[in-house]
Amino acid sequence: MNSHDQYREQIEAYAIGSLDDPDRALIEAHLASGCADCAKALEEARWLVSQLAYLAPDAAPSDMLKGRLLRTVRAEAPAVPERQSPVRAATVPWWLWAGVAALLLFSVYSAWNEQRLRSAVADLEQQAETQRAERQKLEQALVAAKLQAHEAMIWSDPKSVKIMLPAKDPKMPQLEAMWHPEMGICVRGWKVPTLGDKRVLQLWLIPKKAGSKPMPLVTFWPDASGTFSAMVENPPDAMSETQALAVTEEPIGGSEQPTGAPMWVGGLS
Amino acid sequence: MFLAAFPPKGSEQVSPDATLMQQLLRRDVGAFEELYERHSRIVYSLVLRILRQGPTAEEVVQDVFLQLWRNSSQYDVRRPLVPWLLTLARNRALDHLRLKSERQRRREEQTEEFPQIAAAAPEYERALDEKRRAERVRALIGSLPAAQKKAIELAYFEGLSHSEIAASLHEPLGTVKSWIRNGLLRLKEGLQASS
């Protein structure tokens, strides 16, 4: 197989975007060299990949979205150009000229009025857009505050059970978790080293039942200072059925099963 | 050859989308509304599947249709509209989904482009209407083994790379590469056979 065939075999993966960086760089260089065969194959592969959208469950956007879009588009659309009259001057009686003049005046007034209204509408839409952005910001702040309050309740409620998660590596800090039977699980840590590119931490439930697999929970990552806090509102299993909590490092997006040994483990007494 | 199954160019008819896009070039709001009515549902379904959050998905759909309105002059009306809309919507949604990374920055650079998509595709789109084509795509991908289907979904809806999918599914890298390529080739052959 020559090198061209090797590139051709990767066109579908390039179109879907799944090639890893080195392979992607090689095929981009090959396409940049002007290979018409591969360029054509890529166009076809892009069309094919786009068809995967039909795997998505059917859903309809809200009517509000259409309304917002049409308001924006109408405000940006040019005014409809006026048409010239096909009637020749020589055949036009005076009263028709008067009518045309009146119509012209009315058109000028309408255009001016329309421009004025369009400007007013644009101003109102700008105001509405600003208010929408502010409301969205407030809603986000409200959600964040609710989550923070929920988390604070888990940490302070006497029904919560505290679970310490010592690190397997003695140089790493210990994590702590709190499990409330109704409100969920919180986990937090400080001075946790920065993770590699495209890596996250993931929390797991280790069931008591022999032979059961770890259950994947939330993924998270420390900030620049090494601090993080994460919460699971609805754990998939009860505290009484759980032997321990564990934390592993996983690829971004998390994993269905741990890909490495746990870095932190805390047993439930 | 994939496109050999399509009718020759001489039999081409102007698709409704191409007519509407020509009207859109003249800044016709009615044409925009008609295009939105025809395609917003599949665009929204795709974006919602990727982001799983209705309000964010609607923002992305709004961006996509505004780009169609504002940059219609850059669009080649001979090329099929829906695959272009879906490609743009997927790129925008994945940008929202992923953290800032090299992969994402590259995608952002590509987002503003009008990706070149096979011009012969409209012939195919006439051969199978959208509803039947959607059913065929679901049936063909649904007939794949579960792990192979999952690998394709992780690549398309989550934007993961071969090595990320291999780590996620605990499968060898070579297996994942074969699954994705062979799965797409099977889809291609299946759609070709239906036309």
Side-chain angles (χ1 to χ4, degrees):
Chain A
M1 186 187 296
N2 62 32
S3 61
H4 171 79
D5 292 337
Q6 287 171 343
Y7 292 127
R8 180 62 196 79
E9 280 204 344
Q10 293 188 316
I11 286 289
E12 285 76 18
Y14 180 68
I16 204 172
S18 62
L19 283 181
D20 285 297
D21 289 351
D23 290 337
R24 198 201 65 259
L26 284 172
I27 203 163
E28 281 178 350
H30 176 68
L31 287 165
S33 74
C35 176
D37 185 31
C38 285
K40 189 174 178 215
L42 177 60
E43 288 188 15
E44 291 175 9
R46 279 180 175 151
W47 182 88
L48 183 70
V49 165
S50 73
Q51 301 304 296
L52 294 172
Y54 293 108
L55 296 177
D58 184 40
S62 69
D63 290 341
M64 283 166 61
L65 174 61
K66 183 181 171 186
R68 279 205 306 272
L69 265 169
L70 286 177
R71 275 197 300 278
T72 306
V73 164
R74 283 189 184 119
E76 292 178 9
V80 178
E82 290 170 29
R83 292 187 180 173
Q84 291 181 342
S85 168
V87 183
R88 286 190 307 176
T91 62
V92 179
W94 69 269
W95 52 266
L96 193 55
W97 275 117
V100 167
L103 199 61
L104 202 63
L105 276 174
F106 180 70
S107 297
V108 168
Y109 170 77
S110 294
W112 172 79
N113 201 34
E114 186 185 341
Q115 186 58 40
R116 192 174 59 83
L117 288 172
R118 194 185 296 278
S119 172
V121 167
D123 286 348
L124 285 172
E125 279 176 346
Q126 182 63 42
Q127 285 174 22
E129 186 59 31
T130 308
Q131 283 174 357
R132 194 180 71 81
E134 281 172 6
R135 193 180 67 237
Q136 198 174 15
K137 211 183 286 180
L138 281 172
E139 282 170 359
Q140 284 170 349
L142 186 63
V143 169
K146 278 182 181 170
L147 284 172
Q148 218 169 356
H150 191 97
E151 225 174 315
M153 282 165 70
I154 292 178
W155 284 107
S156 59
D157 195 283
K159 282 165 78 178
S160 295
V161 175
K162 192 167 190 177
I163 306 153
M164 301 308 295
L165 287 88
K168 295 290 176 189
D169 180 348
K171 291 178 194 161
M172 297 279 261
Q174 180 172 248
L175 309 184
E176 61 181 39
M178 196 69 95
W179 191 337
H180 188 282
E182 287 97 39
M183 289 191 283
I185 305 170
C186 285
V187 59
R188 64 188 178 190
W190 298 270
K191 296 182 181 172
V192 176
T194 311
L195 303 170
D197 190 25
K198 301 179 188 172
R199 305 290 289 173
V200 294
L201 295 175
Q202 186 165 10
L203 184 64
W204 303 86
L205 285 191
I206 312 295
K208 276 182 183 168
K209 191 177 171 188
S212 298
K213 289 183 175 176
M215 294 181 183
L217 298 176
V218 64
T219 61
F220 47 89
W221 51 91
D223 63 16
S225 68
T227 304
F228 74 83
S229 176
M231 179 172 63
V232 182
E233 287 189 70
N234 298 299
D237 212 347
M239 210 185 308
S240 59
E241 302 299 320
T242 305
Q243 182 184 357
L245 295 181
V247 175
T248 61
E249 190 180 320
E250 300 296 334
I252 193 163
S255 303
E256 291 183 6
Q257 281 301 298
T259 57
M263 299 166 73
W264 288 272
V265 178
L268 273 75
S269 49
Chain B
M1 185 66 189
F2 179 34
L3 299 177
F6 300 136
K9 290 232 166 190
S11 69
E12 275 182 19
Q13 297 166 6
V14 178
S15 71
D17 281 347
T19 306
L20 290 168
M21 281 305 291
Q22 279 163 349
Q23 290 169 357
L24 198 68
L25 286 170
R26 296 194 292 270
R27 317 302 285 155
D28 183 334
V29 177
F32 176 82
E33 188 172 1
E34 178 70 22
L35 284 166
Y36 178 85
E37 286 294 335
R38 287 168 65 85
H39 306 306
S40 60
R41 197 172 179 108
I42 181 60
V43 171
Y44 178 73
S45 299
L46 167 64
V47 174
L48 184 65
R49 168 65 181 81
I50 293 172
L51 296 173
R52 297 168 196 274
Q53 289 180 338
T56 321
E58 289 205 344
E59 279 178 29
V60 170
V61 174
Q62 180 169 320
D63 282 353
V64 168
F65 278 92
L66 281 179
Q67 181 162 353
L68 180 70
W69 166 254
R70 289 169 180 161
N71 300 331
S72 56
S73 61
Q74 295 171 35
Y75 181 75
D76 181 350
V77 293
R78 292 167 304 176
R79 294 181 183 274
L81 175 66
V82 177
W84 175 81
L85 272 178
L86 295 173
T87 305
L88 181 65
R90 177 183 175 237
N91 287 345
R92 284 280 170 98
L94 288 175
D95 288 345
H96 272 70
L97 187 68
R98 304 296 298 265
L99 296 172
K100 285 280 178 190
S101 66
E102 185 59 28
R103 172 179 285 270
Q104 186 198 7
R105 279 197 293 276
R106 273 198 310 279
R107 192 173 286 117
E108 280 172 349
E109 285 161 13
Q110 293 171 1
T111 299
E112 299 312 318
E113 294 174 2
F114 283 68
Q116 295 293 300
I117 293 175
E123 300 294 344
Y124 185 82
E125 290 179 352
R126 271 203 294 276
L128 275 181
D129 63 42
E130 187 173 12
K131 190 179 169 198
R132 284 172 59 213
R133 195 167 66 253
E135 285 168 359
R136 192 82 187 114
V137 169
R138 282 194 282 270
L140 286 163
I141 296 294
S143 70
L144 298 174
Q148 186 176 9
K149 184 184 173 202
K150 179 78 179 168
I152 291 171
E153 286 177 339
L154 285 173
Y156 185 69
F157 291 118
E158 314 290 332
L160 297 190
S161 69
H162 283 148
S163 54
E164 288 167 336
I165 295 166
S168 176
L169 298 181
H170 308 287
E171 294 289 348
L173 183 60
T175 305
V176 167
K177 286 183 180 178
S178 302
W179 276 349
I180 290 176
R181 179 159 196 265
N182 293 338
L184 288 173
L185 292 180
R186 187 158 162 188
L187 175 65
K188 182 163 83 173
E189 286 160 9
L191 289 174
Q192 194 175 351
S194 313
S195 64

